[in-house]
Amino acid sequence: MENWSVEQVCNWLKQRNLGELVPKFREEEVSGAALLALNDRMVQQLVKKIGHQAVLMDLIKKYQQQKSGLESLTYGCDTASQKFPEVVSGKGLKSFFARHKTLQWTSSYALPEFPYDVKCILAEKKCPDHSMRIRIIEFLQADMTKYLEGSLYPNSQQYNTVVNALLQAYPFLDEDGNGFLLWKRALKDRFKYVRRPIEDDEQVLRNKCKFGHRRGQTRKSSCAENKLDDVQVQVEEEPARLKGSTMDLHIKWLNQEYMKTQRNWEEVDNRMNMTTEIRRKMISNKAPLKDILKLFPFLRCPYQLFREFQILTHMDIYRKTVKILEIYSENILSLYVVRNNPINIMLRENLKQHTEEDVLKCMKMTAACLLLPEVFGDDSSLFAVVNEEVKAVTPVLEVKNPFNVNSCEFALYVEREELAQLDDCPTALAALVAAFRVFDIPCPRRIHRTLNFLESLVFEVRNPASLPTQAKTELEAPKHPVSDSASTTPLRS
């Protein structure tokens, strides 16, 4: 049974009065090996009637009871090879080792280490949105390819093993009992999408020729086959979700709306949602930032930058940043390591000129933000520059007249070009942290500790990033956690 093709399995079903299951088994490409690997969950996905489920599981169980174990089979092959080498040296032995390799693969498979943002979504036990589903599928496909030693053609049993491992680790992804087939289909589509543009891989070219794929040609076949080819092409292109003129219309509308003074923000949100996938695809493929901003200029607006961050992480970066500055500002300013810093001296001089509580609070938060790299011994020029020219390529804040109530200015620069004007220090700091994640920009090593500390508070990590030795005794994490009860998100300007 292990060597049966899909058609042989279908014939076997018909002989046992299970002909109703044939269409589904053909669709899911259930071969003999896949049939024997089915577990209760998979059978429930494939077979809707409880009576058929019971009959199928009973048949599989009886066959497995009759089947000898792998150890006895290996011993038998070793014995036969000694007595009758001419019998086992051909195709039979080759197929045995192929099956043994498959068994090794499936028994040793473990899910990959997902990226931080994916792990955050999975930890919340919420069904991911479309863009996050694609990220999960991409990582599973890459991991399977590694296990397959570069091959892009997993068999049905290997698909089943990977999807089953995913749903066992995260049962909430099952989606009302239909998750197994949906995730398996998505994973198979991902492999098709990866194989489609390949022109120089021997295995891919061999299989394309075998199944009639010809570059620049169409298959001469019946009307039904042509329709099937059209469906296959549509499925292969599905991960990109590029719908031609529709996507162009959304992008054109966004560019026109960006030029207006009065903007329809509700429709902007809607169109940005519709174009999320292609935007994330461009960013993950390292498209030039200028090209991304040309198509999606609203990413220059702090509100949309924060909204994009929330789509990726499910965190309100602005509220988190306000709360962080409110909690830590006084402690940061009292540290010995920054006591005689020019920023701190400038702050103390300007505090004498004002009595309004809100102004004083704002000035202290600004000073604490600018001094944070000094606390960690990082390079402050990669974090914020005060009254100087921006030279860093990575995201950095430009701050002019930080303690002048009438002329203070904040701006976010990326690749030495201004990305956005910002209203105040909390908005500026939130935009800086968000830019690294939204545009998938690696954090420079010379500013890593500062950004790591901020992100650990934003994502409410149980043990925040450790503080420098000289600051630990003076700047301990507060007893109360960072909450979402801070002021509202800034206006969409």
Side-chain angles (χ1 to χ4, degrees):
M1 185 179 283
E2 295 96 332
N3 297 326
W4 283 2
S5 65
V6 174
E7 282 305 316
Q8 287 175 310
V9 171
C10 293
N11 291 334
W12 178 79
L13 291 171
K14 292 175 184 177
Q15 293 169 7
R16 282 154 181 79
N17 298 320
L18 296 173
E20 293 182 27
L21 310 182
V22 168
K24 196 66 177 177
F25 272 59
R26 279 188 180 138
E27 180 186 347
E28 295 302 320
E29 300 178 5
V30 180
S31 62
L35 180 65
L36 294 177
L38 293 178
N39 57 29
D40 292 344
R41 178 193 292 274
M42 299 175 190
V43 171
Q44 290 171 8
Q45 297 286 350
L46 284 167
V47 183
K48 297 304 178 185
K49 294 183 179 179
I50 296 178
H52 287 170
Q53 291 177 12
V55 172
L56 183 61
M57 288 302 295
D58 184 60
L59 290 170
I60 294 174
K61 185 178 180 180
K62 285 180 179 178
Y63 180 85
Q64 289 175 335
Q65 287 175 345
Q66 295 172 0
K67 177 186 169 188
S68 58
L70 180 62
E71 293 80 10
S72 62
L73 183 59
T74 305
Y75 173 78
C77 281
D78 291 339
T79 305
S81 63
Q82 295 172 4
K83 295 183 178 180
F84 309 104
E86 69 279 3
V87 175
V88 297
S89 60
K91 186 176 180 180
L93 187 60
K94 184 177 180 181
S95 63
F96 164 74
F97 282 116
R99 291 197 304 275
H100 179 60
K101 188 174 182 180
T102 298
L103 288 170
Q104 284 184 317
W105 191 94
T106 55
S107 64
S108 64
Y109 181 79
L111 286 174
E113 181 77 6
F114 289 116
Y116 183 76
D117 56 330
V118 175
K119 288 194 288 188
C120 288
I121 297 298
L122 295 175
E124 292 177 5
K125 297 185 178 180
K126 295 179 180 178
C127 289
D129 58 20
H130 183 70
S131 61
M132 190 59 66
R133 285 172 64 91
I134 288 177
R135 293 205 68 199
I136 293 172
I137 287 295
E138 287 176 346
F139 272 85
L140 289 178
Q141 180 267 316
D143 193 62
M144 286 181 71
T145 303
K146 177 193 72 176
Y147 268 85
L148 293 167
E149 299 177 352
S151 173
L152 295 174
Y153 290 91
N155 60 35
S156 186
Q157 183 180 352
Q158 289 163 343
Y159 279 122
N160 293 343
T161 298
V162 173
V163 175
N164 200 43
L166 178 69
L167 297 185
Q168 285 182 351
Y170 307 104
F172 57 90
L173 297 178
D174 199 10
E175 300 179 8
D176 300 325
N178 296 318
F180 182 85
L181 297 180
L182 293 174
W183 284 99
K184 181 179 177 182
R185 172 55 60 188
L187 192 54
K188 293 175 74 173
D189 289 347
R190 177 63 190 173
F191 270 95
K192 290 180 182 178
Y193 179 75
V194 171
R195 292 194 301 257
R196 187 162 54 87
I198 293 178
E199 299 287 349
D200 56 354
D201 184 275
E202 182 180 351
Q203 184 187 22
V204 174
L205 292 177
R206 185 169 61 250
N207 279 278
K208 283 183 177 181
C209 291
K210 179 179 178 181
F211 295 106
H213 296 272
R214 296 289 188 274
R215 185 178 178 183
Q217 298 180 11
T218 57
R219 294 175 62 185
K220 296 181 180 180
S221 57
S222 65
C223 180
E225 288 177 332
N226 286 330
K227 288 182 180 179
L228 185 62
D229 288 343
D230 292 339
V231 172
Q232 186 176 8
V233 171
Q234 195 174 20
V235 169
E236 289 177 358
E237 293 180 348
E238 188 177 3
R241 300 282 184 190
L242 289 175
K243 301 201 175 169
S245 58
T246 304
M247 191 66 65
D248 292 340
L249 287 174
H250 290 320
I251 292 173
K252 184 177 180 181
W253 186 93
L254 288 169
N255 278 266
Q256 291 174 345
E257 193 71 10
Y258 184 74
M259 302 304 294
K260 297 179 181 179
T261 305
Q262 299 293 329
R263 295 160 178 166
N264 183 349
W265 285 106
E266 184 176 349
E267 185 62 20
V268 169
D269 291 350
N270 184 38
R271 306 241 182 184
M272 288 293 282
N273 283 342
M274 293 179 179
T275 55
T276 297
E277 187 175 348
I278 180 59
R279 186 165 58 254
R280 299 316 309 168
K281 196 74 174 178
M282 289 180 66
I283 291 172
S284 65
N285 289 337
K286 304 302 179 184
L289 182 62
K290 290 182 179 179
D291 294 347
I292 297 168
L293 295 175
K294 185 176 180 180
L295 296 179
F296 305 102
F298 277 99
L299 288 179
R300 293 180 177 275
C301 300
Y303 166 79
Q304 283 298 334
L305 191 65
F306 299 159
R307 194 168 176 275
E308 192 90 354
F309 184 90
Q310 192 162 12
I311 289 173
L312 295 174
T313 65
H314 293 262
M315 290 288 179
D316 189 331
I317 182 68
Y318 177 76
R319 290 187 182 183
K320 297 285 186 183
T321 305
V322 170
K323 205 65 179 176
I324 290 169
L325 288 175
E326 287 178 347
I327 292 172
Y328 284 96
S329 291
E330 292 288 351
N331 289 335
I332 291 173
L333 296 175
S334 65
L335 290 174
Y336 178 78
V337 71
V338 299
R339 193 163 295 168
N340 296 320
N341 187 282
I343 295 293
N344 215 343
I345 295 172
M346 194 187 310
L347 170 68
R348 290 196 292 267
E349 292 175 354
N350 282 271
L351 288 177
K352 299 174 184 177
Q353 303 173 18
H354 300 277
T355 56
E356 301 89 342
E357 185 177 344
D358 289 344
V359 174
L360 297 177
K361 179 181 177 181
C362 181
M363 292 171 67
K364 289 179 180 179
M365 290 169 68
T366 300
C369 173
L370 298 176
L371 290 170
L372 195 55
E374 300 292 337
V375 173
F376 287 89
D378 281 341
D379 187 346
S380 59
S381 67
L382 297 178
F383 187 81
V385 295
V386 181
N387 297 329
E388 293 181 8
E389 180 184 355
V390 172
K391 297 180 181 179
V393 178
T394 52
V396 65
L397 296 177
E398 181 194 55
V399 186
K400 294 181 180 179
N401 309 315
F403 306 115
N404 189 317
V405 177
N406 298 318
S407 61
C408 180
E409 295 180 6
F410 295 89
L412 174 63
Y413 276 70
V414 182
E415 296 181 358
R416 298 194 186 94
E417 292 191 11
E418 184 180 298
L419 181 75
Q421 289 281 344
L422 307 159
D423 295 332
D424 52 33
C425 180
T427 307
L429 182 57
L432 177 68
V433 176
F436 280 98
R437 181 62 63 94
V438 168
F439 297 113
D440 195 20
I441 299 173
C443 176
R445 183 175 298 179
R446 289 183 292 160
I447 201 68
H448 174 75
R449 286 174 290 187
T450 303
L451 266 295
N452 189 35
F453 175 73
L454 290 170
E455 283 203 344
S456 70
L457 293 175
V458 168
F459 292 113
E460 299 179 356
V461 176
R462 182 173 297 177
N463 297 314
S466 58
L467 297 165
T469 304
Q470 68 269 26
K472 271 188 177 178
T473 56
E474 303 175 61
L475 181 56
E476 292 293 341
K479 301 293 182 183
H480 48 289
V482 178
S483 66
D484 285 338
S485 60
S487 54
T488 58
T489 304
L491 295 176
R492 305 185 250 197
S493 56

